[in-house]
Amino acid sequence: MAKSDVTVVLAHGAWADGSSWARVITALDADGIKAQAAPLPLTSLADDVAALNRSLDRTDGPIVLAGHAYAGAVIALARPARVKALVYVAALAPDEGEKVADVFYRLPPHPQAPKLAPDDNGLIWLPEDAFAAAFAQNATGEDHAVLAAVQRPISLNCITVPAGRPLWKDVPSWFLIAEQDRMIVPETQRFMAERMKATIRALSVDHTPSVTAPRVVADIIRDAVHAASGK
């Protein structure tokens, strides 16, 4: 299979790290598509955008950016020069001047969504039982244990500052709406996807399909890659 000249850069959301993309990376590799996961510190929106841009600097050629959950806000603020498409995976897409918290709390939460509160350091950790209840309810017990063990907390500084002009106003976007999502209300996902005029795929998956339905995620990324490469 011919290798694509497009590099996919994957940005993890809150309470995750790059390992949450492992199965998507291997699925894309099988399709001849190179992918790398960008490590985000989750310390502030500006810090995360800077970290993502550093990962972009390590690539050559055209880029497709994919973001999960909170990282939707991050990929939309990346340096645009080589970014040809954006892929939102059950992700948040604040408009210019909106905060991540504004869109996250736009509608009442799912009954099984966890109660979130910062600790004394201003960091929000996900309760361990929330991985099975809401974060990835379709995952195995082994996956839940790993997700809980590697989780990275998110700072209030990530979700309480207004976002800048989002890149989705200027480049094509794809959006995977997770219909079984218990973290980000599916109706909110659809509102954001329609607002950004994304190519929408609504599927019966949970909040973290990169773990529980990786082929589905790889397929929508592959569509964006093909569009970006003109193939």
Side-chain angles (χ1 to χ4, degrees):
M1 180 179 293
K3 289 280 187 182
S4 170
D5 63 344
V6 176
T7 299
V8 176
V9 178
L10 306 157
H12 63 83
W15 312 302
D17 67 4
S19 66
S20 63
W21 291 106
R23 292 167 188 163
V24 175
I25 291 168
T26 54
L28 290 172
D29 182 69
D31 290 339
I33 297 170
K34 179 184 177 184
Q36 64 180 49
L40 303 183
L42 303 180
T43 46
S44 75
L45 183 57
D47 288 349
D48 292 334
V49 173
L52 177 59
N53 283 331
R54 288 193 294 271
S55 287
L56 301 190
D57 289 341
R58 297 177 57 238
T59 70
D60 296 309
I63 297 166
V64 169
L65 279 179
H68 173 237
Y70 157 72
V74 181
I75 65 172
L77 299 175
R79 279 200 298 267
R82 291 184 291 121
V83 177
K84 303 303 180 185
L86 302 175
V87 180
Y88 286 75
V89 179
L92 294 164
D95 202 345
E96 186 171 9
E98 287 182 337
K99 306 175 186 70
V100 171
D102 292 338
V103 283
F104 184 74
Y105 291 111
R106 181 174 173 269
L107 293 174
H110 188 279
Q112 288 171 274
K115 303 277 191 296
L116 300 173
D119 65 11
D120 292 341
N121 296 309
L123 299 174
I124 304 169
W125 294 85
L126 199 63
E128 188 164 347
D129 60 359
F131 287 95
F135 191 79
Q137 70 267 20
N138 296 339
T140 65
E142 286 183 353
D143 285 334
H144 294 148
V146 171
L147 287 167
V150 303
Q151 74 157 306
R152 304 182 74 157
I154 187 168
S155 168
L156 284 174
N157 296 326
C158 296
I159 63 173
T160 57
V161 296
R165 176 184 168 85
L167 197 51
W168 49 258
K169 291 182 182 288
D170 305 310
V171 303
S173 300
W174 280 253
F175 202 115
L176 172 54
I177 297 174
E179 295 176 330
Q180 296 179 22
D181 202 317
R182 297 175 182 175
M183 297 292 296
I184 301 172
V185 179
E187 290 83 353
T188 294
Q189 295 181 42
R190 182 168 293 279
F191 163 78
M192 294 182 292
E194 291 178 347
R195 179 172 68 174
M196 65 202 292
K197 299 180 172 60
T199 298
I200 297 172
R201 195 166 299 168
L203 295 165
S204 185
V205 295
D206 63 17
H207 177 66
T208 313
S210 58
V211 172
T212 59
R215 185 70 254 179
V216 161
V217 177
D219 285 348
I220 194 169
I221 292 173
R222 186 190 60 213
D223 289 350
V225 168
H226 289 171
S229 62
K231 297 176 182 177

